[in-house]
Amino acid sequence: MQPFRTQIALAVALAWAGVAQAQVEVEIRNPSDAFMAEFEAGDLREALPLIEPDAKACIAAAGGDRATIDSLDTCVLLLAYYGVTLGEAGRSREGVMWARKAAEVAATFGNESEVALVANFFLGLALERMGQHGNAEAPFRQALVAAEKLLTDEADLAPYLARRANNLVMIGRFEEALPLVARAIGASGDTIDGNFYRLIHGNALVKLGRLSEAEKTLRVGVARLTAQIGATADQTIAVREALALCLDAQNRPDEALAIWRETVALRRAQGEGHALGDSLTGLGVTLIRLGIHREAEVALRDALTSRLRYFGEASSFTGLAYSNLGLALMESGQNAEATAMFSQALAVLNAAGGANPEEQVVLMNNLATVMRREGGYAEAVAVQRKALALAESSFGRGHVRTILVRNNLAVALGRLKSRPEAIALLEISYAAARALEAQGGQLRALAAMSLAVFVADEGDRAKAAEWHRVAERDARMAFRADHAQRINILWSYGRFLLDESRGLPLARTLLRDAASQVVARSARGADFDAQAQSQLGEFTVVFRDQVRSAWALAQRHN
């Protein structure tokens, strides 16, 4: 999901004036002007050295390790700013610790005080930075409650509404997010902030499957931001990248790829900032969907390097970068290195405080897929069952993630000869993917292909033939011509038809089509990965030993 990013200072600026008025009995220490200048400029890595000495000195004066909630009251704002700055600089665990301490101290001023508003908001940001969106919900909610009491102008509330809406999207509560972000957009009007909030609106609509509405709001956001601040502004680029994800969800990966290539180029032109990692990740994942694995691997290695540089090893963003790279390696047949990447991803995410449900499902699914490809079907089934239970409880039975895991569980079960259960699961998946329309196109094709294979193994060739036809039809709509999955589906259908003389003409067409696409991939050089090499070798055997002899036999019968 495209993250919502904006300068943190935006949401606290309006509360800042009130904080000064709250200092009745306690002389609260404020961050230095030099720190605030860097903070408001949005470069928190540069801001950290300007607040860390002051924060540590205040803590020491309050008693150091023996400091109490009461003795830290003068440090409350320093701790809040220190915590969120640590998180943005990659020291996520420390950031959450101090941001939480600030929120505890702020509660002594009253849960709806200006100090509590700032401290809770920053605690939410620090937790969000670690990927702990579920834990961030309470402080974001509390901050919004305080803001609604303290800020009478709806426009002043917009940043708090938008941030909580974004977090609700991240934890899967999409319906709840929509009215909040709609409020934020309406209150802000045709401003930079209002148009930037369309990113959250679009993300929520995509997750709800309302793709045409999502595309409309995101295109409006891009157009207005381009007019207001230019095409190269961070906010404009971020909304364009959300549009790319929306297009990809509509099975328009070529359009999405064009956007990602442009945004990566724009980010590189701006320098090696942390946002480049977001763009490289989007590019890499889209390339994987298109079957361009080698280029995807390069992009995702660069994304991992960016994450390590800006966030360090113990960040959830770094953990996800390991996972994405593992996916590219797995899809290109480099299973041993992929396994190492997935294992490292789990270790890093655990060190960063744990993965959220979506991240857990993705990692478990990827690990199980590697196990299955390495022949560990029983182990893969055990992991996939856990992943499916988590996906169904977190996202629902018809969610894209759930369908993908169910498909993969069925494939592993089929390999273990548990075909009746596999077929039942795949029929559920196919129906769920069909309900998703364009968003479920690729999943439909994959479920149909697996159904064809397993139904044939159960001896029902008529039903298997029907599922092969469905898979071939869905694949032509869902995948571009040279995608590995479309090639595999055509090849599987063609080989199935070789066993019956009346199917030989179509078999020859399908197998020629599949093989020509593999040869086309090989001709491109850079995209001719290990999987394509393997396919080409197998197709050579098919054409030499099966297609030619079968065709000759059919000619003699005629």
Side-chain angles (χ1 to χ4, degrees), residues 368-437:
T369 301
V370 172
M371 292 174 181
R372 190 185 76 230
R373 291 182 180 181
E374 293 289 286
Y377 302 118
E379 296 89 343
V381 164
V383 175
Q384 292 284 18
R385 287 193 191 281
K386 293 178 182 177
L388 180 59
L390 179 59
E392 288 185 338
S393 64
S394 300
F395 316 122
R397 291 168 60 85
H399 191 274
V400 169
R401 292 272 185 220
T402 308
I403 297 169
L404 177 62
V405 174
R406 191 185 295 115
N407 279 359
N408 288 339
L409 171 58
V411 170
L413 286 166
R415 297 288 188 176
L416 290 173
K417 311 301 182 187
S418 299
R419 288 189 287 269
E421 183 182 0
I423 290 169
L425 288 170
L426 288 166
E427 287 174 340
I428 293 170
S429 280
Y430 188 85
R434 185 171 57 190
L436 294 177
E437 298 180 345

Side-chain angles (χ1 to χ4, degrees), residues 69-82:
I69 296 298
D70 289 337
S71 68
L72 286 168
D73 55 6
T74 62
C75 307
V76 60
L77 284 178
L78 282 174
L79 295 182
Y81 277 89
Y82 182 43

